[in-house]
Amino acid sequence: MIDRNIQKKIHWFLSEIDDSSDKPQSQKEITLLKFLQICKVAPRREIEETIQKKEVLVNGIPITELNYKIKTSDLVLYKGKRVSLNKNNLYLAINKPKGYFTKRSREKNIFQLLPETYSKKKLYLADELDQNSRGLVVLSTDVFFVKQIRDARYKVMKKYYVQLDNPIVSMDRNLLMGRGLKIQNQRYKFLSIVNRDPEKHIYEISLYTERGNLRKVFEELFYEVKDLYRFAIGELNIEQTKLPEGHYWEFEPSIIWKNTPEANYLFELYQRIFD
């Protein structure tokens, strides 16, 4: 029997991470078996066996009833992979040039780099870059996916090249690698600082962070940032894919976590809620 208190926590969490404007339009109820058949994940017999083996999760809860009623907007995992009736979700990587904003409201913005068919869709920003910074920006119509990338608790690593006017002194390095620097209620704690070019003061920086401005970290420590370039979010690396500046690339969302099955971070998410 499903723990109804746990189920309430799951539904509360899903409502918290989603803005009201982002909620799915369709709330139609359907049996789990029928839903998976419509999504064509496998033949009926295989679907039935998979459900009975507790390898199908609905909002984080293993379901063994074939006729269990779900909403078409529920989060369904089949053998650790997300299943959705919405086949039109977009996952876009853009190599943002310097001078572009990441907000539609600004005159010169990254949405102008996309074809009109994409730019008219409701795309959500996974992590910002300021106007003077460049590199990888991720956009998606999938709100749940975007929220996962934004939240530092779920350990999606971001990697940057930062060029400064002076070398990072040991005191600042110890601060950033230790307790971190807190700016506007957000703590920036670096996972690594690698000096890639001692003469030009170019560093490779790795950290888990929510939406924020890495440039402000160095400015707070009285460094001038000459260049800031983000080249990776999770396992999505535009240096490896050789995505040219000003261009975009449509990718499969699993690439972000390609070395860790998608189910793992979702299971961890639900475990945190239960705790």
Side-chain angles (χ1 to χ4, degrees), residues 26 57-59 70 90 116 121-123 125 128 134 138 149 151-152 164 168 181 184 192 200 202 226 235 254 259 263:
S26 174
L57 278 68
V58 177
N59 296 334
I70 68 168
L90 276 176
E116 190 173 351
K121 289 183 178 294
K122 196 167 186 180
L123 290 163
L125 185 66
E128 295 180 6
R134 58 195 181 91
V138 169
I149 293 179
D151 197 329
L164 305 174
I168 300 176
L181 182 66
Q184 296 178 343
S192 65
K200 295 182 179 180
I202 297 175
K226 293 187 172 182
E235 297 298 322
S254 58
N259 293 331

Side-chain angles (χ1 to χ4, degrees), residues 60-106:
I61 301 170
I63 303 298
T64 56
E65 304 168 38
L66 301 179
N67 294 321
Y68 178 79
K69 290 288 186 70
I70 68 168
K71 293 178 180 178
T72 53
S73 59
D74 285 338
L75 179 66
V76 179
L77 273 72
Y78 182 88
K79 294 184 177 180
K81 295 294 181 181
R82 190 174 179 187
V83 179
S84 174
L85 287 175
N86 186 359
K87 304 298 182 183
N88 299 316
N89 270 332
L90 276 176
Y91 304 89
L92 299 175
I94 299 177
N95 188 347
K96 182 184 102 61
K98 185 176 179 179
Y100 280 78
F101 290 92
T102 54
K103 294 182 178 179
R104 286 184 189 265
S105 57
R106 305 307 293 262

